[in-house]
Amino acid sequence: MSDQHRRFLRLRQLPHVWCPGCGNGSIVKALLTAIGDLGLDQDRVAVISGIGCAGRAPFILDFNTMHTTHGRALAFATGMKLVNPDLKVIVIMGDGDASAIGGNHFIHSCRRNLDLTALVFNNGIYGLTGGQLAPTTPAGKRSTTSMSGNIEHAFDLVRLALGAGAGFVARTTSYDNKQMVTFFKRAISHKGFAFVDVMTACPTYFGRMNDLGEPYELLHYLRDTTSPSEDIAREHDESPPADLMPTGIFRDEERRDYGTLYSQRALATSGKGRS
Ligand SMILES: Cc1ncc(C[n+]2csc(CCOP(=O)(O)OP(=O)(O)O)c2C)c(N)n1
Ligand code: SF4
């Protein structure tokens, strides 16, 4: 662990609770690299999470942190950002957290465009509670509640966020440290709601249930089941093969964010905005 990462960690909280080979550690490391590279003031960064394995990240992070309730991280983050507009607010959610119990908060946050960075640690399963089916479990894959294979279709969180109007939308994997760092920096710098879907490895449940082998083999699975979006557009005339998840930045458009509009309206209605 380098000094760049160490200064952002609550060392007294280590070791963390994640299983050996879990992708969450790689994602957090990339996030800390991004925050360090951007030169953000540690005291002006807030990290807010819901409940789940992903939700444990703020325990070890030395920023302003909140470990909130399952599915409600974005609601807490919305309040925190509105009363502290200068904070960089980063929200960490599990895929179940963000798209099942928190699904409505997710789509309305994309629509509302408050200046938040939302990262979903997408392991395709409910990790903390024992490997149950999530809305993101790929069709055909096994979980502890779909032992003979999932018969539902999975949410594609990138398409969901694009449809709901998020200004910055990207997908990466915990296999690709360099891409994670680049996308996290772009997302954090984006003024408005930014979402990154991070496909990650849960060797304990997703990997074991689906006979995907050792943790490093699960990383190869992430590599082999995703494809850069540019390649897909070039090779497949914009129709990605159904078995490959595209990674890349799918939208990066700035439009007036909710916080700016809200403070302008508040000033105008209090009379202070009138000359
Ligand atoms: C209101 C509420 N419902 C259910 C739970 C139980 N619960 C805790 S974490 C979790 C799911 C975790 O899966 P996910 O959000 O995908 O995160 P992961 O653990 O995989 O990182 C559930 C159902 C809870 N804590 N609170
Ligand atoms: S159960 Fe899965 S997601 Fe949770 S810490 Fe273990 S490997 Fe990671």
Side-chain angles (χ1 to χ4, degrees), residues 18 24 50-56 69-72 93-99 101 121-130 132 134-136 200 202:
W18 295 319
N24 291 355
I51 301 290
C53 296
R56 299 291 181 99
T69 54
H70 194 42
R72 303 290 180 260
M93 297 170 283
D95 44 298
D97 199 18
S99 68
I101 191 169
F121 291 17
N122 189 348
N123 55 19
I125 210 156
Y126 281 7
L128 187 78
T129 42
Q132 295 88 350
T136 43
T200 185
C202 170

Short mmCIF file of all heavy atoms in Angstrom, two decimals, residues 18 24 50-56 69-72 93-99 101 121-130 132 134-136 200 202, ligand 1:
data_model
loop_
_atom_site.label_atom_id
_atom_site.label_comp_id
_atom_site.label_asym_id
_atom_site.label_seq_id
_atom_site.Cartn_x
_atom_site.Cartn_y
_atom_site.Cartn_z
N TRP A 18 -13.74 -7.75 3.95
CA TRP A 18 -14.01 -8.43 2.67
C TRP A 18 -13.24 -9.75 2.55
O TRP A 18 -12.13 -9.91 3.06
CB TRP A 18 -13.66 -7.50 1.50
CG TRP A 18 -14.55 -6.28 1.47
CD1 TRP A 18 -15.89 -6.23 1.70
CD2 TRP A 18 -14.15 -4.94 1.21
NE1 TRP A 18 -16.36 -4.95 1.59
CE2 TRP A 18 -15.32 -4.12 1.28
CE3 TRP A 18 -12.94 -4.33 0.90
CZ2 TRP A 18 -15.30 -2.75 1.07
CZ3 TRP A 18 -12.92 -2.95 0.69
CH2 TRP A 18 -14.08 -2.19 0.77
N ASN A 24 -13.87 -5.72 -4.21
CA ASN A 24 -14.12 -4.41 -3.58
C ASN A 24 -12.83 -3.66 -3.23
O ASN A 24 -12.76 -2.44 -3.33
CB ASN A 24 -14.97 -4.59 -2.31
CG ASN A 24 -16.40 -5.01 -2.64
OD1 ASN A 24 -16.77 -5.08 -3.80
ND2 ASN A 24 -17.20 -5.30 -1.62
N GLY A 50 -24.76 2.58 1.31
CA GLY A 50 -25.92 1.87 1.85
C GLY A 50 -25.43 0.68 2.67
O GLY A 50 -24.38 0.74 3.30
N ILE A 51 -26.21 -0.40 2.63
CA ILE A 51 -25.85 -1.60 3.40
C ILE A 51 -25.48 -2.72 2.43
O ILE A 51 -26.12 -2.89 1.41
CB ILE A 51 -27.04 -2.06 4.28
CG1 ILE A 51 -27.45 -0.96 5.26
CG2 ILE A 51 -26.71 -3.35 5.03
CD1 ILE A 51 -26.48 -0.67 6.37
N GLY A 52 -24.49 -3.49 2.78
CA GLY A 52 -24.04 -4.61 1.95
C GLY A 52 -22.53 -4.70 2.08
O GLY A 52 -21.91 -3.93 2.81
N CYS A 53 -21.93 -5.65 1.35
CA CYS A 53 -20.47 -5.74 1.39
C CYS A 53 -19.88 -4.43 0.85
O CYS A 53 -18.97 -3.85 1.45
CB CYS A 53 -19.98 -6.91 0.55
SG CYS A 53 -20.52 -8.51 1.17
N ALA A 54 -20.40 -3.96 -0.28
CA ALA A 54 -19.92 -2.68 -0.83
C ALA A 54 -20.10 -1.56 0.18
O ALA A 54 -19.25 -0.68 0.33
CB ALA A 54 -20.68 -2.35 -2.12
N GLY A 55 -21.21 -1.63 0.90
CA GLY A 55 -21.54 -0.60 1.88
C GLY A 55 -20.55 -0.48 3.02
O GLY A 55 -20.55 0.51 3.76
N ARG A 56 -19.67 -1.48 3.16
CA ARG A 56 -18.67 -1.43 4.23
C ARG A 56 -17.48 -0.54 3.89
O ARG A 56 -16.63 -0.29 4.74
CB ARG A 56 -18.13 -2.84 4.53
CG ARG A 56 -19.20 -3.83 5.00
CD ARG A 56 -19.69 -3.45 6.37
NE ARG A 56 -20.69 -4.37 6.87
CZ ARG A 56 -20.46 -5.37 7.71
NH1 ARG A 56 -19.25 -5.59 8.14
NH2 ARG A 56 -21.44 -6.14 8.12
N THR A 69 -28.73 3.37 5.38
CA THR A 69 -29.59 2.18 5.35
C THR A 69 -29.65 1.60 3.95
O THR A 69 -29.31 2.27 2.97
CB THR A 69 -31.01 2.55 5.84
OG1 THR A 69 -31.49 3.65 5.06
CG2 THR A 69 -30.99 2.96 7.30
N HIS A 70 -30.10 0.36 3.87
CA HIS A 70 -30.10 -0.36 2.59
C HIS A 70 -30.99 0.37 1.57
O HIS A 70 -32.17 0.60 1.83
CB HIS A 70 -30.64 -1.78 2.86
CG HIS A 70 -30.40 -2.72 1.73
ND1 HIS A 70 -29.23 -2.78 1.01
CD2 HIS A 70 -31.21 -3.66 1.19
CE1 HIS A 70 -29.32 -3.71 0.10
NE2 HIS A 70 -30.51 -4.27 0.18
N GLY A 71 -30.41 0.73 0.45
CA GLY A 71 -31.17 1.36 -0.63
C GLY A 71 -31.33 2.86 -0.51
O GLY A 71 -31.89 3.50 -1.40
N ARG A 72 -30.86 3.46 0.57
CA ARG A 72 -31.16 4.88 0.80
C ARG A 72 -29.93 5.77 0.74
O ARG A 72 -30.01 6.95 1.09
CB ARG A 72 -31.83 5.06 2.17
CG ARG A 72 -33.10 4.26 2.36
CD ARG A 72 -34.24 4.80 1.49
NE ARG A 72 -35.46 4.04 1.66
CZ ARG A 72 -35.90 3.09 0.82
NH1 ARG A 72 -35.20 2.78 -0.26
NH2 ARG A 72 -37.03 2.46 1.05
N MET A 93 -22.61 2.02 -3.64
CA MET A 93 -23.75 1.12 -3.44
C MET A 93 -23.44 -0.26 -4.02
O MET A 93 -22.69 -0.38 -4.99
CB MET A 93 -24.99 1.67 -4.17
CG MET A 93 -25.47 3.01 -3.63
SD MET A 93 -26.73 3.75 -4.69
CE MET A 93 -25.74 4.39 -6.02
N GLY A 94 -24.07 -1.28 -3.46
CA GLY A 94 -24.09 -2.58 -4.10
C GLY A 94 -25.13 -2.55 -5.21
O GLY A 94 -25.96 -1.63 -5.27
N ASP A 95 -25.10 -3.55 -6.07
CA ASP A 95 -26.06 -3.57 -7.18
C ASP A 95 -27.49 -3.83 -6.66
O ASP A 95 -28.46 -3.24 -7.16
CB ASP A 95 -25.68 -4.60 -8.24
CG ASP A 95 -25.22 -5.92 -7.64
OD1 ASP A 95 -24.21 -5.92 -6.90
OD2 ASP A 95 -25.88 -6.95 -7.88
N GLY A 96 -27.63 -4.66 -5.64
CA GLY A 96 -28.95 -4.87 -5.05
C GLY A 96 -29.42 -3.60 -4.36
O GLY A 96 -30.55 -3.14 -4.56
N ASP A 97 -28.53 -3.02 -3.61
CA ASP A 97 -28.75 -1.76 -2.91
C ASP A 97 -29.29 -0.68 -3.87
O ASP A 97 -30.31 -0.03 -3.62
CB ASP A 97 -27.36 -1.35 -2.40
CG ASP A 97 -27.34 -0.35 -1.29
OD1 ASP A 97 -28.36 -0.17 -0.63
OD2 ASP A 97 -26.26 0.24 -1.08
N ALA A 98 -28.62 -0.53 -5.02
CA ALA A 98 -28.95 0.55 -5.96
C ALA A 98 -30.14 0.24 -6.83
O ALA A 98 -30.89 1.14 -7.20
CB ALA A 98 -27.74 0.85 -6.84
N SER A 99 -30.32 -1.04 -7.20
CA SER A 99 -31.31 -1.30 -8.25
C SER A 99 -32.53 -2.08 -7.77
O SER A 99 -33.52 -2.16 -8.49
CB SER A 99 -30.67 -2.04 -9.42
OG SER A 99 -30.30 -3.34 -9.06
N ILE A 101 -33.98 -2.46 -3.77
CA ILE A 101 -34.65 -1.61 -2.77
C ILE A 101 -34.42 -0.12 -3.04
O ILE A 101 -35.28 0.71 -2.75
CB ILE A 101 -34.19 -2.02 -1.35
CG1 ILE A 101 -35.07 -1.36 -0.29
CG2 ILE A 101 -32.73 -1.73 -1.13
CD1 ILE A 101 -34.84 -1.92 1.12
N PHE A 121 -20.91 -1.08 -7.01
CA PHE A 121 -20.01 -2.23 -7.00
C PHE A 121 -20.87 -3.43 -7.42
O PHE A 121 -21.56 -4.03 -6.60
CB PHE A 121 -19.44 -2.48 -5.59
CG PHE A 121 -18.47 -1.43 -5.08
CD1 PHE A 121 -18.36 -0.17 -5.64
CD2 PHE A 121 -17.64 -1.73 -3.99
CE1 PHE A 121 -17.46 0.79 -5.15
CE2 PHE A 121 -16.73 -0.80 -3.49
CZ PHE A 121 -16.65 0.46 -4.07
N ASN A 122 -20.85 -3.73 -8.71
CA ASN A 122 -21.83 -4.66 -9.29
C ASN A 122 -21.26 -6.08 -9.38
O ASN A 122 -20.63 -6.45 -10.38
CB ASN A 122 -22.23 -4.12 -10.68
CG ASN A 122 -23.39 -4.89 -11.26
OD1 ASN A 122 -23.78 -5.94 -10.77
ND2 ASN A 122 -23.94 -4.36 -12.33
N ASN A 123 -21.54 -6.88 -8.33
CA ASN A 123 -21.07 -8.27 -8.34
C ASN A 123 -22.16 -9.23 -8.81
O ASN A 123 -21.98 -10.44 -8.76
CB ASN A 123 -20.54 -8.67 -6.95
CG ASN A 123 -21.57 -8.44 -5.86
OD1 ASN A 123 -22.76 -8.33 -6.15
ND2 ASN A 123 -21.14 -8.39 -4.61
N GLY A 124 -23.31 -8.70 -9.24
CA GLY A 124 -24.35 -9.55 -9.81
C GLY A 124 -25.05 -10.44 -8.82
O GLY A 124 -25.69 -11.43 -9.22
N ILE A 125 -24.99 -10.08 -7.52
CA ILE A 125 -25.54 -10.97 -6.49
C ILE A 125 -25.68 -10.18 -5.19
O ILE A 125 -25.09 -9.10 -5.06
CB ILE A 125 -24.57 -12.20 -6.32
CG1 ILE A 125 -25.32 -13.45 -5.91
CG2 ILE A 125 -23.42 -11.90 -5.37
CD1 ILE A 125 -24.60 -14.72 -6.27
N TYR A 126 -26.49 -10.69 -4.26
CA TYR A 126 -26.50 -10.11 -2.92
C TYR A 126 -25.36 -10.78 -2.13
O TYR A 126 -25.48 -11.94 -1.75
CB TYR A 126 -27.82 -10.43 -2.20
CG TYR A 126 -29.02 -9.57 -2.57
CD1 TYR A 126 -28.98 -8.66 -3.61
CD2 TYR A 126 -30.20 -9.69 -1.86
CE1 TYR A 126 -30.08 -7.89 -3.93
CE2 TYR A 126 -31.32 -8.92 -2.18
CZ TYR A 126 -31.25 -8.03 -3.22
OH TYR A 126 -32.35 -7.27 -3.53
N GLY A 127 -24.30 -10.05 -1.89
CA GLY A 127 -23.15 -10.65 -1.22
C GLY A 127 -23.34 -10.81 0.28
O GLY A 127 -23.30 -11.91 0.81
N LEU A 128 -23.58 -9.70 0.95
CA LEU A 128 -23.56 -9.71 2.43
C LEU A 128 -24.53 -10.71 3.04
O LEU A 128 -24.23 -11.34 4.06
CB LEU A 128 -23.88 -8.30 2.95
CG LEU A 128 -23.70 -8.15 4.46
CD1 LEU A 128 -22.22 -8.00 4.80
CD2 LEU A 128 -24.45 -6.94 4.99
N THR A 129 -25.69 -10.88 2.40
CA THR A 129 -26.73 -11.71 3.01
C THR A 129 -26.68 -13.17 2.56
O THR A 129 -27.56 -13.94 2.92
CB THR A 129 -28.12 -11.12 2.72
OG1 THR A 129 -28.15 -10.69 1.35
CG2 THR A 129 -28.42 -9.95 3.62
N GLY A 130 -25.68 -13.55 1.75
CA GLY A 130 -25.53 -14.97 1.45
C GLY A 130 -25.74 -15.39 0.01
O GLY A 130 -26.03 -16.57 -0.25
N GLN A 132 -27.89 -14.28 -2.58
CA GLN A 132 -29.20 -14.41 -3.22
C GLN A 132 -29.23 -13.69 -4.57
O GLN A 132 -28.38 -12.86 -4.88
CB GLN A 132 -30.29 -13.80 -2.31
CG GLN A 132 -30.50 -14.50 -0.99
CD GLN A 132 -29.60 -13.97 0.12
OE1 GLN A 132 -28.68 -13.20 -0.12
NE2 GLN A 132 -29.86 -14.41 1.33
N ALA A 134 -30.09 -11.15 -7.41
CA ALA A 134 -30.28 -9.69 -7.47
C ALA A 134 -30.90 -9.34 -8.83
O ALA A 134 -30.89 -10.16 -9.74
CB ALA A 134 -28.92 -8.99 -7.31
N PRO A 135 -31.40 -8.11 -8.99
CA PRO A 135 -31.94 -7.74 -10.30
C PRO A 135 -30.86 -7.71 -11.38
O PRO A 135 -31.16 -7.60 -12.56
CB PRO A 135 -32.49 -6.32 -10.07
CG PRO A 135 -32.61 -6.15 -8.61
CD PRO A 135 -31.58 -7.04 -7.99
N THR A 136 -29.61 -7.77 -10.97
CA THR A 136 -28.47 -7.72 -11.89
C THR A 136 -27.85 -9.09 -12.15
O THR A 136 -26.87 -9.18 -12.89
CB THR A 136 -27.39 -6.82 -11.26
OG1 THR A 136 -27.32 -7.19 -9.88
CG2 THR A 136 -27.72 -5.36 -11.38
N THR A 200 -17.78 -6.32 -10.78
CA THR A 200 -16.75 -6.77 -9.85
C THR A 200 -16.93 -8.23 -9.46
O THR A 200 -17.96 -8.84 -9.73
CB THR A 200 -16.70 -5.85 -8.62
OG1 THR A 200 -15.60 -6.25 -7.79
CG2 THR A 200 -17.97 -5.93 -7.80
N CYS A 202 -17.23 -11.39 -6.96
CA CYS A 202 -17.57 -11.96 -5.65
C CYS A 202 -17.25 -13.45 -5.72
O CYS A 202 -18.10 -14.26 -6.10
CB CYS A 202 -19.05 -11.75 -5.34
SG CYS A 202 -19.62 -12.68 -3.88
C1 LIG B 1 -34.40 -2.52 4.66
C2 LIG B 1 -33.44 -3.67 4.59
N1 LIG B 1 -33.79 -4.76 3.85
C3 LIG B 1 -32.95 -5.79 3.75
C4 LIG B 1 -31.75 -5.76 4.39
C5 LIG B 1 -30.84 -6.96 4.30
N2 LIG B 1 -29.76 -6.76 3.38
C6 LIG B 1 -28.57 -6.27 3.81
S1 LIG B 1 -27.44 -6.17 2.58
C7 LIG B 1 -28.55 -6.80 1.48
C8 LIG B 1 -28.16 -7.04 0.02
C9 LIG B 1 -26.73 -6.87 -0.29
O1 LIG B 1 -26.51 -6.98 -1.67
P1 LIG B 1 -25.98 -5.77 -2.51
O2 LIG B 1 -26.74 -4.55 -2.24
O3 LIG B 1 -25.92 -6.20 -3.95
O4 LIG B 1 -24.52 -5.52 -1.94
P2 LIG B 1 -23.28 -6.53 -1.77
O5 LIG B 1 -23.41 -7.12 -0.40
O6 LIG B 1 -23.35 -7.56 -2.84
O7 LIG B 1 -22.10 -5.64 -1.91
C10 LIG B 1 -29.77 -7.06 2.06
C11 LIG B 1 -30.94 -7.63 1.34
C12 LIG B 1 -31.42 -4.62 5.15
N3 LIG B 1 -30.24 -4.50 5.78
N4 LIG B 1 -32.29 -3.59 5.23
#
